[in-house]
């Protein structure tokens, strides 16, 4: 009986290790399938941040996606989804206008319709930025 328990435990550990390796392999294989293509950038009034409008393209089976991220001024836009706004459509047709009202408030000139995938109203932990929507 002890031999059977030892075998079951070893098989369970082996399965866990193989599953973990498979998950990491899959994540590394498919993480590069998407790409970000910058449409425009708008710098905050104090030049601490940039609001970046970009198209996120994840291959032929997905439609166009216009997304917005706030990044530190001068830093590179990573190959990640937008961190404050996302909507279907090509940036040439659906990209909203961005206006920094003051050093901590970004106005996204977009009427909220419910078709947005991501619609944050603030950004950051310590120096919170406010995000306002509407024309």
């Amino acid at each position: 009986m002890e031999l059977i328990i030892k075998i079951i435990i070893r098989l369970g550990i082996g399965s866990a290790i193989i599953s973990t390796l498979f998950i990491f392999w899959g994540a590394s294989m498919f993480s590069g399938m998407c790409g970000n293509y910058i449409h425009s950038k708008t710098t905050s009034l104090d030049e601490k941040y940039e609001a970046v409008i970009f198209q996120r393209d994840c291959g032929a089976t997905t439609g166009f996606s216009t997304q917005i991220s706030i990044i530190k001024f001068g830093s590179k836009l990573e190959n990640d989804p937008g961190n404050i706004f996302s909507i279907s459509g090509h940036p040439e047709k659906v990209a909203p206008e961005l206006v920094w009202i003051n050093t901590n408030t970004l106005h996204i000139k977009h009427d909220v319709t419910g078709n947005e995938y991501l619609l944050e109203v603030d950004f950051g932990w310590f120096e919170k930025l406010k995000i306002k929507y509407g024309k």
Side-chain angles (χ1 to χ4, degrees):
M1 187 69 164
E2 287 180 27
L3 179 62
I4 292 174
I5 292 174
K6 286 181 182 179
I7 290 172
I8 291 172
I9 291 172
R10 287 182 180 159
L11 285 173
I13 291 171
S15 296
I17 291 171
I18 290 171
S19 297
T20 302
L21 290 173
F22 183 74
I23 289 169
F24 282 114
W25 172 79
S28 67
M29 285 294 293
F30 298 110
S31 66
M33 291 186 70
C34 295
N36 293 338
Y37 304 97
I38 294 175
H39 175 71
S40 66
K41 291 183 182 183
T42 305
T43 304
S44 65
L45 300 175
D46 59 1
E47 296 187 345
K48 285 186 178 180
Y49 297 99
E50 290 179 300
V52 182
I53 298 176
F54 61 96
Q55 174 193 336
R56 183 146 176 92
D57 183 0
C58 292
T61 59
T62 61
F64 292 113
S65 172
T66 297
Q67 302 190 19
I68 301 173
S69 281
I70 294 178
I71 60 174
K72 292 277 188 189
F73 178 75
S75 65
K76 179 184 169 209
L77 178 66
E78 298 295 328
N79 188 17
D80 293 322
N83 58 21
I84 62 167
F85 181 84
S86 177
I87 191 167
S88 291
H90 195 281
E92 294 291 331
K93 294 183 179 178
V94 299
E97 181 183 351
L98 304 179
V99 178
W100 288 92
I101 297 171
N102 54 43
T103 57
N104 67 343
T105 306
L106 175 66
H107 182 195
I108 298 177
K109 293 190 174 186
H110 171 81
D111 285 331
V112 177
T113 62
N115 293 324
E116 300 81 11
Y117 298 109
L118 178 64
L119 198 69
E120 296 292 336
V121 294
D122 58 29
F123 174 81
W125 289 93
F126 300 110
E127 294 181 30
K128 281 235 189 251
L129 300 176
K130 295 176 190 167
I131 303 159
K132 298 187 179 269
Y133 297 91
K135 295 284 179 187

